[in-house]
Amino acid sequence: MKKFKSIIAIVLAVLMAVGFAACGSKGATKSTTADDGAIEFGKANYSEDAPVEIGTPDKQLDADKIYNSVKYEADMFYGDYKSTDKSLYGSDGYFDYKSGGFAEFYENAPKMNDPTNKSDYSKRIVSTLPIRFEAGSSVGYILSSIKDKNVCTLSLVSKYESSDRPSYSEYYFTYEVDGNKIKLKGFDYDTESNDDHEITKVNYEFNGFELEYEFAFRGRELTLKQGDKSVTLRSGYSMKINDTSFDASAYLKSGAEGLPNINRIMLERMHDKGSKFYTDFLVTRDRDDYDYFVHGNCRMEDNGLITFTIPYKDGTVTYQFVYFFGGQELVLTDGDKTYFYTGSYYDYYGDSFGDNIDAEEKDKLGEMDEQQLQQIEEKKTDLMDDLEKEFKAEGIDVTVNKDTGELAMDSTVLFGGDSAELSAEGKAFLDKFVKAYAKIIYNDKYDGFIKKTMVEGHIAPISGTTYESGLPLSEERAKNVKDYCLSIKGTEKLKETLETKGYSQSKPVKDKDGNIDCDASRRVSFRFIINLDK
């Protein structure tokens, strides 16, 4: 499935050249495949007239040493790895059993009886080394919706005892990583659908097909070994396009630590008189008031090193890492820290929507394309900005959290001490706040965009207070704020959309050092819920 985070994209387009391509764009520099097999992506930055050169990293890494010592995780396998044996492919560039290569592969690979073959009239023998391995987003929407397991598919060559001609079939596995071993358990699945024929659930059952490999990564290559036999697969391989058909376009994995300011890394192949590449980096608002793309210069080496330079307005930054590159997803490590750019556009934008969408409606995000989600994200960002400007113009002291969508009011302004009764000062504050809030969310630009508004009560996690003991106060405060807001003239539209919830001390506010800020935690918040049907 697919999911997302915050973006107002201003795309600064500069074409780059790669590999075998010639480039006639102003300011772009022609590049070739080096003797060591490295691919150097074309040069660009903010100005076509001032291309950025690949810089020198602070430390030159030893790729072999890092591959041998890094702690392997399931996400490192994300991608699509295929055999580079051209005898397995037909003239159209796809696997073709008529080509003759399958027979040779079948004879040279370890084999076993296929436990998924239930036929009584003919047994099927299957190779246990794959000609293709896919994991992560490459397995497709249905299988990737299985969230409690890591899922992969293997293309294995098989042959019926009654036939002389081998072919290949796709098998489904869950997998776990243990040191330099990957353990796989085969499964069968079926789906459940609603009246509109939309898939609502994926059911799976293990079928007894189990495999185990020793593995090794090196650049774009994944080697799987079983006994004294092994196969080496390559990401982004295409027999048709000179082995340069790969492109990466992955967002930072949800909840993972990323490189400073970098939310997305994109290496995109374009077809225009050859293979042209963009090297794009989606940079966060940490360096400016908005997210934006920059175009950098990147060099990927077959030994597993990747070096890239990113041009910012205040200078360039150069990184070097060892990479795991599955064709879309990109994992980077220096041996100490690992950065997982394995998220989809759904992951990136869905995180941004977060608490501004009803939990029961989050599956709708998976039915939207990237453009639709980006439009919703941009509208949400505009709404948060407009609310913040209106509160500031009216002198209303509200903490606007653009990440969570929370509009927090200091409870000491609303209530006296530990009371849930609104003070005169609190009522005067709400008079101004509600009118400003309604003025923005019900104007022509946003009318219909907001499905409902949650009024939420919070208390500070102080010693001697439990969730249960603090819940009544937080609930009563939220209810009293709602009731008063509905009594204010000119806010009739809010009547059917306000709902309340108390959270006790379960959602404290933390400062930049991760410590709980008790004063900020004592609050009542407004949080709007987006109408995904509009």
Side-chain angles (χ1 to χ4, degrees), residues 131-148:
I131 57 174
R132 188 174 189 176
F133 178 101
E134 299 172 89
S137 64
S138 294
V139 302
Y141 170 78
I142 295 177
L143 292 184
S144 63
S145 67
I146 299 175
K147 294 300 185 183
D148 59 337

Side-chain angles (χ1 to χ4, degrees), residues 338-530:
T338 301
Y339 304 96
F340 291 92
Y341 287 87
T342 58
S344 66
Y345 69 92
Y346 177 90
D347 297 317
Y348 185 75
Y349 291 101
D351 274 359
S352 168
F353 300 152
D355 292 336
N356 294 113
I357 293 179
D358 275 338
E360 61 269 20
E361 288 196 319
K362 287 191 175 181
D363 283 347
K364 288 184 180 180
L365 298 178
E367 301 168 9
M368 298 180 178
D369 61 29
E370 185 165 4
Q371 183 177 9
Q372 290 174 308
L373 289 164
Q374 183 172 331
Q375 288 172 347
I376 295 173
E377 166 57 24
E378 289 177 352
K379 198 165 187 177
K380 177 209 162 185
T381 302
D382 287 348
L383 176 55
M384 297 297 293
D385 288 342
D386 288 348
L387 285 168
E388 188 174 41
K389 291 175 184 176
E390 183 67 18
F391 294 148
K392 184 176 182 180
E394 296 296 326
I396 303 170
D397 186 12
V398 177
T399 300
V400 178
N401 188 322
K402 295 182 179 180
D403 291 329
T404 64
E406 184 182 61
L407 311 173
M409 297 168 276
D410 186 348
S411 65
T412 60
V413 174
L414 301 175
F415 310 100
D418 291 331
S419 171
E421 184 178 348
L422 282 166
S423 64
E425 182 185 7
K427 292 178 180 179
F429 177 89
L430 288 174
D431 287 338
K432 296 177 64 177
F433 171 84
V434 172
K435 289 178 181 178
Y437 180 74
K439 175 183 177 181
I440 298 300
I441 69 169
Y442 293 127
N443 67 21
D444 291 341
K445 183 177 180 181
Y446 302 112
D447 198 10
F449 184 62
I450 303 303
K451 178 181 178 180
K452 63 184 177 182
T453 298
M454 300 299 300
V455 183
E456 300 170 337
H458 306 265
I459 66 170
I462 58 176
S463 177
T465 302
T466 65
Y467 175 84
E468 290 75 14
S469 65
L471 186 59
L473 177 61
S474 66
E475 290 177 331
E476 190 175 0
R477 283 182 168 180
K479 180 181 181 300
N480 287 347
V481 168
K482 172 192 170 183
D483 291 344
Y484 184 77
C485 289
L486 295 180
S487 71
I488 300 172
K489 291 183 179 180
T491 60
E492 289 76 12
K493 281 189 176 183
L494 280 173
K495 185 173 183 179
E496 300 300 324
T497 67
L498 283 186
E499 296 183 11
T500 64
K501 186 173 180 62
Y503 284 97
S504 186
Q505 56 186 13
S506 63
K507 291 190 174 185
V509 176
K510 296 182 180 180
D511 61 23
K512 62 181 180 179
D513 297 320
N515 300 314
I516 292 175
D517 184 332
C518 286
D519 290 336
S521 296
R522 298 182 182 96
R523 67 200 190 279
V524 172
S525 302
F526 270 48
R527 177 171 57 87
F528 58 79
I529 302 298
I530 294 170

Side-chain angles (χ1 to χ4, degrees), residues 16 42-45 52-57 262 279 281 294-299 306-312 315-320:
M16 305 180 208
K43 303 169 182 178
N45 74 1
V52 62
E53 299 288 342
I54 295 179
T56 302
I262 300 175
T279 309
F281 301 87
V294 296
H295 304 293
N297 191 357
C298 175
R299 179 180 172 87
I306 181 171
T307 307
F308 52 88
T309 296
I310 306 174
Y312 293 105
T316 62
V317 178
T318 295
Y319 294 99
Q320 184 175 83

